[in-house]
Amino acid sequence: MIEWLLLTLVSMSTQIPIPTDSHTPPPNIIFIVSDDAGYSDFGFQGSDDVETPNLDALCASGVRFEQAYVTASVCSPSRAGLITGRYQQRIGYEHNIPVGGPHGLPGDTITIADRLQQAKYTTSAIGKWHLGYKPEMRPLEQGFDRFHGLLAGSRHYKPYDNDTKRGNYRVRVDDEVIADEPATFAWFTDYLGEVASEQIRELAPSGPYFMYLCFTAPHTPMQASPEDLAAVGGVPSKRKTYRAMQRALDRAIGEVVSAVDASGEADNTIIWFVNDNGGATNNGSDNGLLRGMKGSKFEGGVRVPMLLRWPGVTQPGQFYLPAVSTLDMAATVLAATNANVSDIDGVDLRPFLVGEDRSTPHEFLYWRRGPVASVLQNGRWKLIRVEDDQYMLFDIRDDVNERIDLAPLYAARVARMQKALEAWESQMQPPGSASGERWRSNQIKKHQADVDSRAKERALP
Amino acid sequence: MIEWLLLTLVSMSTQIPIPTDSHTPPPNIIFIVSDDAGYSDFGFQGSDDVETPNLDALCASGVRFEQAYVTASVCSPSRAGLITGRYQQRIGYEHNIPVGGPHGLPGDTITIADRLQQAKYTTSAIGKWHLGYKPEMRPLEQGFDRFHGLLAGSRHYKPYDNDTKRGNYRVRVDDEVIADEPATFAWFTDYLGEVASEQIRELAPSGPYFMYLCFTAPHTPMQASPEDLAAVGGVPSKRKTYRAMQRALDRAIGEVVSAVDASGEADNTIIWFVNDNGGATNNGSDNGLLRGMKGSKFEGGVRVPMLLRWPGVTQPGQFYLPAVSTLDMAATVLAATNANVSDIDGVDLRPFLVGEDRSTPHEFLYWRRGPVASVLQNGRWKLIRVEDDQYMLFDIRDDVNERIDLAPLYAARVARMQKALEAWESQMQPPGSASGERWRSNQIKKHQADVDSRAKERALP
């Protein structure tokens, strides 16, 4: 007995124990995703005009990731990476998908929900789906026990009139469009918060649950309630409406967090918040000082706000600075349930978050969307390849704004990173949609005058 | 017994044990300081033309600090902060000191060497002193048992002829100028490495030692040996000479590390490397993409390469990204010897490095040199005040190059940080030297066209 304790003592002194082993109950898992929000448009990101007190409190109670990336600069492929934990290009999921079209998650895709279903989780998708319209692509066929949301990528925030026929935009419960939206809810963002909170209250007593909660805010259409518009103040403008939409988003997330805290399960519930891509050019969002917006290969397209509250793993007020990916979300929570994650591209972040592993989670991160591909090494060196153009190399550490192309100075580094990018690509499928010649040449043209951030326009000399 | 083990087990599970308590022997401590090197002029910093294999190996065996600051952008006050662990402005030590003049460390200053002497360390200063010329300011009166170096801030790398009378530039052993430099050494940088290595071999067997090893390389004069010039190759230029000087520096440090490794004390020896300020404008150094060079308030003036190897505290390949200060060097090693550090401005970094504390070490860091003062909050927001000018505010996280002045957008943040700066200043002394009106107005003029980095000149559009 004493020998055993001594042995345990010695082994514990060399590493920090991570909670959740066979003796602790598996954690509840909530992923909260916002849509097209700007990099700086949260209080915890330093915004000067958007107030998000509930998300700021969530931030203060856990970890803020300082260099978090999505796997694509647009909604649908970004979500495909997040929900599978694998580069979406592995299944040819490289592009956004047209509403009602044939593209989306193949029926045999193994999502994080599939894996958690196997681990006896109740799995629930709430809000925006945007991962396919064909029956085999929908939530109930992709590992979710429940679905309460819309198949499309966005919708009006007010209820649709009952005679409006817009099936992919209407709210469904499981796969049934609800009959009377006006009788069901008043404002979509708050409604999602209420649906999620109610399910948390229902599910918490009966065992582990996984909730994938995707708000459409602050994606277009630009709509905000009169109360939110009045509360944020200022003269009417797109930015004012945007700020009001962020207010509703923050309020709804606050309700979800309160439901977790009231459920008695707060200590065993993971709450992971992330935005799905860079701020869009059409919704008044602000990517702050980063170069590029939604759709761009620059940091403003793929670097996003991310928060995680996980008692026992994260600490209140913690910052985590090395580069992480939304691929790590699946890898991390699945590892905590002892699932097999050998085919996941992400990294279990727990050893890094608790300080057991103090190196960096990723040597390389990769992106590709049609003719534009890039690779990031050690969170610092970023190589961008645009078809029919020169390679560009940026030093994200010392030039986070990607203004100075170092490729001419670092030929050997460019060659090494190019090789890494190509080795990664050799494992991917060709793009499965949107790769028509016209789209391709448009993307290349777009590169010639890549979208810069609003902040640059307003403040750069 | 079992109860005790269980209690220990429980307490250990909540924190990582930091080595060095009353049961382990106190660690040997070596601070290695280079002089006026550029931020990017090391292999481990990503240089494309300077090779530093020995420092790269030291980096790989420990932690690289990604946002390390000195307390001043010029040599002498920066060293005063480092050697005391307190803002040098507390003793009015705000400016560089003229050779042979009356300024320097007051006789009653308590240095890290004083504190370690009390803790029964053998304390040795080797190389550049530059902390005062009056007898009470010299190493032997400032806590060092030994001195082997020069009082001035730089010197020729070749031996001085024996008839040259340059007392403050000549090598001293303790306080005696050595009689015959040409008979003693061939090249100053290598000589310092040899002196240090010999002392390590001598001191390691007999108990803890503190070595403060300050190279003059790559400070001017620009001199390199024919062998080093041949080895780095290229056409003659200041940059070529600089690269050759870095080669000698790296070789000498490699010899010191080898001496530690051969001493049998590697596991209990702290090796902490840092450069003393930003790369200078006159030695061909390269601050990479940072704005400003030596003397500047911008990152290029005060952000420096820093490495630490401390088995049991650091991990091979570790990166540490939150902002740290050279003030933390004293705080950290003194805490490891259980010294009283209540009056030290730095922070014990051990809980942060081992992952026990995952917040950030510093809420605020401060700088002031005459008419230019600044404050950095949470490693991100940097407020700069220049007398007779507007405040400037930069977001170092999203604009590390300090190009976009956010002060007009963030009035409330400016006001809060201004208050913090003034509260700090109220605890400091007025500048003790070099504050004449002409110097002041020159500094203010200089601000109008602050020195930008060489990289910007060569690469910016």
Side-chain angles (χ1 to χ4, degrees):
Chain A
M1 177 64 175
I2 288 184
E3 284 76 1
W4 175 83
L5 277 172
L6 279 171
L7 274 173
T8 310
L9 201 63
V10 167
S11 83
M12 288 185 77
S13 74
T14 61
Q15 59 169 53
I16 308 162
I18 292 171
T20 310
D21 53 29
S22 50
H23 303 298
T24 51
N28 305 305
I29 302 162
I30 303 176
F31 287 175
I32 305 176
V33 184
S34 61
D35 199 343
D36 284 6
Y39 185 68
S40 72
D41 285 334
F42 298 88
F44 68 85
Q45 290 285 86
S47 177
D48 58 334
D49 68 341
V50 176
E51 292 181 8
T52 53
N54 292 295
L55 279 162
D56 298 354
L58 183 66
C59 174
S61 68
V63 63
R64 184 177 86 190
F65 293 93
E66 294 288 73
Q67 193 181 1
Y69 291 102
V70 287
T71 59
S73 59
V74 294
C75 299
S76 188
S78 167
R79 285 155 200 270
L82 190 157
I83 203 73
T84 60
R86 289 161 54 85
Y87 282 110
Q88 64 276 5
Q89 293 91 346
R90 289 192 184 277
I91 51 172
Y93 204 129
E94 196 156 324
H95 298 291
N96 248 336
I97 58 175
V99 183
H103 300 293
L105 285 182
D108 60 355
T109 307
I110 301 174
T111 67
I112 178 176
D114 286 311
R115 298 174 197 254
L116 289 169
Q117 253 181 351
Q118 279 206 327
K120 313 238 180 293
Y121 272 70
T122 303
T123 56
S124 171
I126 298 174
K128 166 171 172 170
W129 181 244
H130 207 204
L131 287 165
Y133 300 89
K134 291 165 74 175
E136 72 272 19
M137 299 171 173
R138 298 182 184 185
L140 298 191
E141 299 300 317
Q142 292 289 349
F144 287 97
D145 299 319
R146 309 170 168 202
F147 177 51
H148 200 130
L150 71 158
L151 295 176
S154 62
R155 58 157 285 151
H156 280 203
Y157 290 88
K158 287 176 226 165
Y160 288 116
D161 291 342
N162 290 332
D163 54 358
T164 313
K165 294 268 177 286
R166 296 165 66 94
N168 289 324
Y169 296 94
R170 295 286 288 268
V171 170
R172 290 159 195 256
V173 175
D174 293 338
D175 211 17
E176 292 296 315
V177 172
I178 63 174
D180 189 350
E181 286 200 358
T184 311
F185 65 91
W187 198 260
F188 189 61
T189 300
D190 289 293
Y191 178 56
L192 293 182
E194 287 156 20
V195 169
S197 302
E198 195 152 314
Q199 289 199 19
I200 289 164
R201 283 187 286 272
E202 175 203 344
L203 294 170
S206 60
Y209 61 86
F210 168 55
M211 180 175 287
Y212 175 59
L213 170 57
C214 296
F215 289 92
T216 57
H219 195 296
T220 54
M222 300 311 291
Q223 298 172 349
S225 70
E227 295 77 17
D228 285 327
L229 285 168
V232 300
V235 294
S237 68
K238 190 188 276 186
R239 180 72 182 168
K240 174 179 177 164
T241 307
Y242 175 87
R243 291 164 56 219
M245 291 165 78
Q246 285 291 80
R247 185 172 188 269
L249 171 73
D250 181 71
R251 177 175 61 239
I253 292 175
E255 178 160 345
V256 172
V257 175
S258 294
V260 170
D261 292 344
S263 73
E265 289 280 311
D267 283 348
N268 197 36
T269 301
I270 299 165
I271 304 178
W272 208 321
F273 169 78
V274 71
N275 188 57
D276 68 339
N277 46 240
T281 53
N282 63 354
N283 67 349
S285 60
D286 186 349
N287 266 346
L289 306 176
L290 297 185
R291 184 172 182 183
M293 307 280 289
K294 178 179 181 178
S296 169
K297 61 205 167 286
F298 293 122
E299 293 292 279
V302 291
R303 189 191 280 221
V304 291
M306 184 189 271
L307 303 176
L308 169 63
R309 185 183 90 173
W310 188 348
V313 172
T314 63
Q315 282 181 345
Q318 185 176 354
F319 298 85
Y320 190 72
L321 285 75
V324 301
S325 165
T326 42
L327 298 172
D328 305 331
M329 296 169 71
T332 303
V333 301
L334 289 169
T337 65
N338 299 314
N340 175 12
V341 293
S342 60
D343 57 341
I344 298 272
D345 286 320
V347 169
D348 177 5
L349 294 180
R350 291 176 304 157
F352 296 93
L353 291 172
V354 300
E356 182 187 313
D357 191 329
R358 288 169 264 150
S359 66
T360 53
H362 296 278
E363 187 183 359
F364 291 107
L365 287 171
Y366 305 94
W367 293 265
R368 191 182 68 190
R369 202 162 66 88
V372 182
S374 52
V375 52
L376 179 73
Q377 186 169 21
N378 291 326
R380 179 173 182 193
W381 303 103
K382 182 169 167 187
L383 184 74
I384 297 177
R385 184 194 68 201
V386 180
E387 266 178 35
D388 308 329
D389 205 342
Q390 308 277 334
Y391 280 85
M392 291 183 289
L393 178 72
F394 296 102
D395 177 351
I396 301 299
R397 186 189 75 172
D398 294 344
D399 174 34
V400 66
N401 309 102
E402 297 165 284
R403 290 213 179 81
I404 300 174
D405 180 6
L406 296 172
L409 295 175
Y410 288 87
R413 195 186 302 281
V414 167
R416 283 197 305 274
M417 292 178 69
Q418 175 183 355
K419 215 164 156 179
L421 179 58
E422 286 163 4
W424 173 78
E425 285 184 292
S426 71
Q427 302 170 48
M428 302 296 126
Q429 299 296 320
S433 69
S435 56
E437 190 39 50
R438 179 144 159 250
W439 186 88
R440 279 182 98 70
S441 68
N442 272 345
Q443 287 295 309
I444 293 174
K445 261 186 227 147
K446 205 170 160 189
H447 158 70
Q448 311 300 334
D450 203 298
V451 185
D452 264 4
S453 73
R454 186 165 294 101
K456 277 185 65 190
E457 289 160 25
R458 77 180 179 190
L460 264 185
Chain B
M1 177 65 175
I2 288 182
E3 284 75 359
W4 175 85
L5 278 170
L6 280 170
L7 274 174
T8 309
L9 203 63
V10 167
S11 83
M12 288 186 75
S13 73
T14 61
Q15 60 169 52
I16 309 162
I18 292 172
T20 311
D21 52 28
S22 51
H23 303 298
T24 51
N28 305 305
I29 302 162
I30 303 177
F31 286 176
I32 305 176
V33 184
S34 62
D35 199 342
D36 283 7
Y39 185 67
S40 72
D41 284 333
F42 299 88
F44 68 86
Q45 289 286 85
S47 177
D48 59 334
D49 69 341
V50 176
E51 293 180 8
T52 53
N54 291 296
L55 280 162
D56 298 355
L58 183 67
C59 175
S61 68
V63 63
R64 183 178 87 192
F65 294 92
E66 296 287 71
Q67 194 181 359
Y69 292 101
V70 286
T71 58
S73 59
V74 294
C75 299
S76 188
S78 167
R79 287 154 198 269
L82 190 159
I83 204 72
T84 60
R86 290 160 54 86
Y87 283 109
Q88 64 276 5
Q89 294 90 346
R90 287 191 186 279
I91 51 172
Y93 203 130
E94 197 157 322
H95 298 290
N96 248 336
I97 57 174
V99 184
H103 299 294
L105 286 182
D108 59 355
T109 306
I110 301 174
T111 67
I112 178 176
D114 284 311
R115 296 174 198 254
L116 288 170
Q117 253 181 351
Q118 279 205 325
K120 313 239 180 291
Y121 273 68
T122 303
T123 56
S124 171
I126 298 173
K128 167 171 170 170
W129 181 243
H130 206 202
L131 288 165
Y133 299 89
K134 290 165 73 175
E136 72 272 18
M137 299 172 173
R138 299 182 183 184
L140 298 191
E141 298 300 317
Q142 292 290 349
F144 287 98
D145 300 318
R146 308 170 170 203
F147 177 52
H148 200 131
L150 72 159
L151 294 177
S154 63
R155 56 157 286 151
H156 280 204
Y157 291 88
K158 287 175 226 166
Y160 289 116
D161 291 341
N162 290 333
D163 55 355
T164 312
K165 294 268 176 287
R166 296 164 67 92
N168 289 323
Y169 297 93
R170 294 287 288 267
V171 171
R172 289 160 196 256
V173 175
D174 293 338
D175 211 17
E176 290 297 316
V177 172
I178 64 174
D180 189 350
E181 286 200 358
T184 310
F185 66 91
W187 199 261
F188 189 60
T189 300
D190 289 291
Y191 177 57
L192 293 182
E194 287 155 22
V195 168
S197 302
E198 194 152 316
Q199 290 199 18
I200 288 164
R201 285 187 285 272
E202 174 203 343
L203 294 170
S206 59
Y209 60 87
F210 168 55
M211 181 176 285
Y212 175 58
L213 170 57
C214 296
F215 289 93
T216 58
H219 195 296
T220 54
M222 301 310 292
Q223 298 173 348
S225 70
E227 295 76 18
D228 285 327
L229 286 167
V232 301
V235 294
S237 68
K238 191 187 277 185
R239 180 71 181 168
K240 174 178 175 164
T241 306
Y242 176 86
R243 290 164 58 223
M245 291 165 79
Q246 284 290 81
R247 185 173 188 269
L249 172 72
D250 181 71
R251 178 175 60 240
I253 292 174
E255 176 158 347
V256 172
V257 176
S258 295
V260 171
D261 292 345
S263 74
E265 290 280 312
D267 283 347
N268 198 36
T269 301
I270 299 166
I271 304 179
W272 209 320
F273 170 77
V274 70
N275 187 57
D276 67 340
N277 46 239
T281 53
N282 62 353
N283 67 348
S285 60
D286 186 349
N287 266 347
L289 305 176
L290 297 185
R291 185 172 183 183
M293 307 277 293
K294 177 178 180 180
S296 169
K297 61 206 166 287
F298 293 123
E299 293 292 280
V302 291
R303 189 190 278 222
V304 291
M306 184 190 272
L307 303 176
L308 169 62
R309 185 182 91 172
W310 188 349
V313 172
T314 64
Q315 282 181 345
Q318 184 175 356
F319 297 84
Y320 191 73
L321 284 76
V324 300
S325 164
T326 42
L327 297 172
D328 304 333
M329 296 170 72
T332 304
V333 302
L334 288 169
T337 64
N338 300 315
N340 176 12
V341 293
S342 60
D343 57 341
I344 297 274
D345 286 320
V347 169
D348 177 5
L349 294 179
R350 292 175 303 158
F352 297 92
L353 291 172
V354 302
E356 181 187 314
D357 191 327
R358 288 168 266 148
S359 66
T360 52
H362 296 277
E363 186 182 0
F364 291 106
L365 286 172
Y366 305 92
W367 292 266
R368 191 182 68 190
R369 202 163 66 88
V372 181
S374 53
V375 53
L376 180 73
Q377 186 169 19
N378 291 325
R380 178 171 183 195
W381 304 103
K382 182 168 166 187
L383 183 73
I384 297 176
R385 185 194 67 202
V386 180
E387 263 178 38
D388 307 329
D389 204 343
Q390 308 277 333
Y391 280 85
M392 291 183 289
L393 178 72
F394 296 102
D395 177 352
I396 300 298
R397 187 189 75 171
D398 294 344
D399 174 31
V400 66
N401 309 102
E402 297 164 286
R403 290 211 179 82
I404 300 174
D405 180 7
L406 296 171
L409 296 175
Y410 289 87
R413 195 185 304 281
V414 167
R416 282 198 305 273
M417 292 178 68
Q418 175 184 354
K419 214 164 157 181
L421 178 58
E422 286 165 4
W424 172 77
E425 286 186 292
S426 73
Q427 300 170 49
M428 301 297 127
Q429 299 297 320
S433 68
S435 57
E437 190 40 48
R438 179 144 159 247
W439 186 88
R440 278 181 100 72
S441 69
N442 272 345
Q443 287 294 310
I444 294 174
K445 262 187 227 148
K446 205 170 161 190
H447 159 70
Q448 312 299 334
D450 203 300
V451 185
D452 266 5
S453 73
R454 183 166 296 99
K456 277 187 66 190
E457 289 162 25
R458 76 181 179 189
L460 264 185

